[in-house]
């Protein structure tokens, strides 16, 4: 591993302190209020998050025609569903869904920074922004997925999609076997953000 990707051990504490200091400074200067950061976080905890993505995927699992429309024109298909206002807003522009099949597994990354479809997946996890993850996932996705606990058979093709401000990708995982009797709401619970990023698959339990 290149040395530039080695972090100090107290990275989390350091980042936290830096964010607190920045927030305090912005409040002091009157750029934001004491509520601003909490309001934004609350919005992405309650309105825009992986629960929206789970609804979209579950609908695609039960409705093949919707799945087709979702893959053909993602924002238009998403607009059909009863989801919160703002799905096409900040970080939700130009979303594109790609579907896993028995022979193809999709993985989303952002090699440049951390572009991510916030309205369907929420805020990106810290490792998504990690330079080591970003470069290795592009270079050796099979090895990286294996380390994530997702060993894929050699005959399964891996497609890596690089998100940007122009296109923000998310994955429609395969519907797990043994879920034929489940209704849409139950299926939603099987769709994790990791599965919609492609670092995991959806499982029946
Ligand atoms: Fe980015």
């Amino acid at each position: 591993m290149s040395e530039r990707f080695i972090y100090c051990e107290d990275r989390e504490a350091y980042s936290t302190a830096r964010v607190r200091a920045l927030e305090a400074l912005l409040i002091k200067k009157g750029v934001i209020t004491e509520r601003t950061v909490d309001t934004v976080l609350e919005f992405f905890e309650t309105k825009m998050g992986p629960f929206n993505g789970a609804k979209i995927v579950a609908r695609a699992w039960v409705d093949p025609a919707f799945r087709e429309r979702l893959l053909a024109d993602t924002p238009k298909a998403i607009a059909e569903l009863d989801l919160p206002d703002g799905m096409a807003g900040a970080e939700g522009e130009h979303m594109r869904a790609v579907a896993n099949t028995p022979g193809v597994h999709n993985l989303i990354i952002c090699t440049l920074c951390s572009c991510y479809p916030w309205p369907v997946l929420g805020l990106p996890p810290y490792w998504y922004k990690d330079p080591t993850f970003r470069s290795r996932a592009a270079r050796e996705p099979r090895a990286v997925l294996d380390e994530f606990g997702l060993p894929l058979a050699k005959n399964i093709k891996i497609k890596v999609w690089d998100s940007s401000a122009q296109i923000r990708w998310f994955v429609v995982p395969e519907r797990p076997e043994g879920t034929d009797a489940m209704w849409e709401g139950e299926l939603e619970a099987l769709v994790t953000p990791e599965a919609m990023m492609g670092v995991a698959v959806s499982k029946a339990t």
Side-chain angles (χ1 to χ4, degrees):
M1 192 191 292
S2 163
E3 260 186 42
R4 52 187 277 244
F5 295 152
I6 292 172
Y7 304 105
C8 53
E9 274 182 26
D10 62 349
R11 177 165 66 129
E12 293 283 315
Y14 175 79
S15 295
T16 304
R18 196 160 69 156
V19 167
R20 290 248 162 85
L22 260 174
E23 183 188 6
L25 191 65
L26 290 170
I27 291 169
K28 198 175 158 195
K29 287 187 172 291
V31 178
I32 61 173
T33 73
E34 309 222 329
R35 283 286 309 149
T36 306
V37 171
D38 288 340
T39 303
V40 172
L41 287 178
E42 217 174 88
F43 183 65
F44 285 101
E45 276 165 6
T46 60
K47 296 267 187 336
M48 297 289 142
F51 32 86
N52 292 331
K55 279 188 183 141
I56 295 162
V57 169
R59 176 63 58 87
W61 283 351
V62 299
D63 183 346
F66 176 78
R67 183 180 185 275
E68 288 304 311
R69 293 198 296 280
L70 181 67
L71 299 178
D73 188 337
T74 304
K76 201 173 160 193
I78 289 175
E80 291 176 27
L81 303 183
D82 186 22
L83 292 168
D85 290 338
M87 290 300 292
E91 305 293 322
E93 309 93 343
H94 322 296
M95 291 197 286
R96 285 277 300 274
V98 281
N100 287 346
T101 63
V104 177
H105 182 87
N106 296 286
L107 172 66
I108 64 156
I109 57 173
C110 172
T111 51
L112 192 65
C113 43
S114 57
C115 298
Y116 196 70
W118 292 14
V120 293
L121 292 187
L123 300 173
Y126 74 95
W127 52 261
Y128 185 77
K129 309 171 195 175
D130 186 297
T132 307
F133 169 76
R134 282 153 42 196
S135 60
R136 285 194 59 222
R139 208 168 59 239
E140 43 175 4
R142 203 172 290 273
V144 169
L145 290 177
D146 194 58
E147 287 167 31
F148 265 90
L150 187 64
L152 292 173
K154 284 248 160 60
N155 60 344
I156 296 178
K157 191 177 174 190
I158 299 174
K159 286 190 183 173
V160 182
W161 303 89
D162 194 5
S163 284
S164 66
Q166 277 73 44
I167 301 181
R168 294 183 175 86
W169 303 96
F170 67 94
V171 177
V172 179
E174 282 192 281
R175 180 173 177 162
E177 281 180 31
T179 59
D180 288 356
M182 293 175 93
W183 65 286
E184 208 172 320
E186 289 175 298
L187 290 169
E188 277 173 33
L190 307 181
V191 188
T192 62
E194 288 78 16
M196 291 183 283
M197 300 170 76
V199 296
V201 292
S202 285
K203 294 191 180 129
T205 46

